[in-house]
Amino acid sequence: MKLNEFLKPNNVEFSKSDKKIYEVILKHPAHVQLITIQKLATDAQTSVASVQRYCKKLGYTGFKEFKFQLKNYLLQQLNFDKNNSSYLSNYLKVANSFKNIEEDKISNLAEALVSSNHNYIIGVYYSSMPAKQLAMGMQDLNKVSFYTDNYVNASHWVGLIEEEDAFVVFSVSGNDPYIKKYISEPLSKLSKTYLITFNPDTKLSKYFKNCIVLPGKAFANSSAIDPQSLFSLFVEMIINHIARS
């Protein structure tokens, strides 16, 4: 049985909400083991009740049983490697490929952060750690920098943002549905806007003047957890570039 058949049996009729939930899980099946039902509902732009209904349509008592059965399916059908040394080898391979990131993209972002009046930086869920790291690093370099881990807080920046400010968003998947809703307005007014993601096909790039795609999309999608440490590696590269300039 293929994953899409496991998540959407032929004899089950899907509502619009079901289809949204299905698409999110299909893109990142391994992530489901580590997220809450609230997080899945948010990513699918639907409600917790809709997620529960989706799970029951598939024949489970609820989200908890669905997660358990999905984990078993992935272990059996997708042959997930439980060997830590294999995971580490793949991780190091991706980390080593960071040397192939175009130098002008690093220089461009570094220059924007240094020359801006203020830096506004967002990272949600696992992406919040590298976002905070970048803000703290810039503060250590005497640049006024603000950080938040949710888009509602970011929406309150609208009245504060000036034309010469820099705006940076970290998103592993590049599929955050709330960027358009909460921060598309300030993004449209600024020239120093950056989306940093692992997804080369992200549709969110249209809201940013610059999109930096990091290597490792396949690794990020197959990992059970968003690889925020790879984002942090990129942040360290940026801070080190600034410090050496």
Side-chain angles (χ1 to χ4, degrees), residues 24-86:
V24 169
I25 299 173
L26 188 64
K27 286 180 180 178
H28 303 287
H31 289 194
V32 176
Q33 302 308 313
L34 295 177
I35 63 175
T36 64
I37 189 171
Q38 290 85 357
K39 174 67 165 62
L40 177 56
T42 298
D43 288 351
Q45 301 180 60
T46 186
S47 66
V48 169
S50 294
V51 176
Q52 289 286 27
R53 283 194 293 271
Y54 169 84
C55 295
K56 289 180 179 180
K57 279 187 179 181
L58 298 186
Y60 306 110
T61 57
F63 183 60
K64 185 175 182 180
E65 185 185 359
F66 169 73
K67 283 176 66 172
F68 178 78
Q69 294 300 335
L70 177 60
K71 178 181 179 180
N72 286 340
Y73 171 86
L74 293 175
L75 289 173
Q76 294 171 14
Q77 303 295 326
L78 302 185
N79 192 28
F80 270 31
D81 196 334
K82 295 193 285 186
N83 189 317
N84 282 329
S85 63
S86 176

Side-chain angles (χ1 to χ4, degrees), residues 35-208:
I35 63 175
T36 64
I37 189 171
Q38 290 85 357
K39 174 67 165 62
L40 177 56
T42 298
D43 288 351
Q45 301 180 60
T46 186
S47 66
V48 169
S50 294
V51 176
Q52 289 286 27
R53 283 194 293 271
Y54 169 84
C55 295
K56 289 180 179 180
K57 279 187 179 181
L58 298 186
Y60 306 110
T61 57
F63 183 60
K64 185 175 182 180
E65 185 185 359
F66 169 73
K67 283 176 66 172
F68 178 78
Q69 294 300 335
L70 177 60
K71 178 181 179 180
N72 286 340
Y73 171 86
L74 293 175
L75 289 173
Q76 294 171 14
Q77 303 295 326
L78 302 185
N79 192 28
F80 270 31
D81 196 334
K82 295 193 285 186
N83 189 317
N84 282 329
S85 63
S86 176
Y87 177 86
L88 183 58
S89 296
N90 291 332
Y91 180 94
L92 292 175
K93 187 183 297 183
V94 173
N96 191 52
S97 69
F98 271 46
K99 65 185 179 183
N100 298 323
I101 298 173
E102 296 174 33
E103 186 65 26
D104 63 336
K105 290 189 176 181
I106 294 177
S107 299
N108 181 274
L109 175 56
E111 173 61 26
L113 292 168
V114 170
S115 63
S116 66
N117 291 335
H118 311 93
N119 295 314
Y120 294 89
I121 306 165
I122 304 175
V124 180
Y125 294 106
Y126 290 119
S127 299
S128 65
M129 293 180 66
K132 185 176 182 180
Q133 179 187 7
L134 179 58
M136 293 176 66
M138 294 310 300
Q139 288 170 9
D140 287 341
L141 294 170
N142 298 315
K143 289 298 300 183
V144 179
S145 301
F146 303 95
Y147 145 82
T148 186
D149 60 2
N150 69 81
Y151 293 112
V152 176
N153 284 350
S155 67
H156 295 296
W157 288 344
V158 173
L160 303 174
I161 294 174
E162 302 170 348
E163 188 176 349
E164 290 303 312
D165 292 337
F167 206 114
V168 181
V169 176
F170 289 87
S171 174
V172 171
S173 67
N175 292 319
D176 293 347
Y178 295 107
I179 286 181
K180 178 181 178 181
K181 181 177 181 180
Y182 289 108
I183 61 172
S184 60
E185 181 185 345
L187 288 175
S188 66
K189 298 177 181 179
L190 301 173
S191 59
K192 301 174 184 177
T193 58
Y194 295 81
L195 173 65
I196 303 173
T197 182
F198 286 93
N199 182 5
D201 303 313
T202 177
K203 296 179 180 178
L204 299 178
S205 58
K206 63 184 177 183
Y207 298 111
F208 297 82

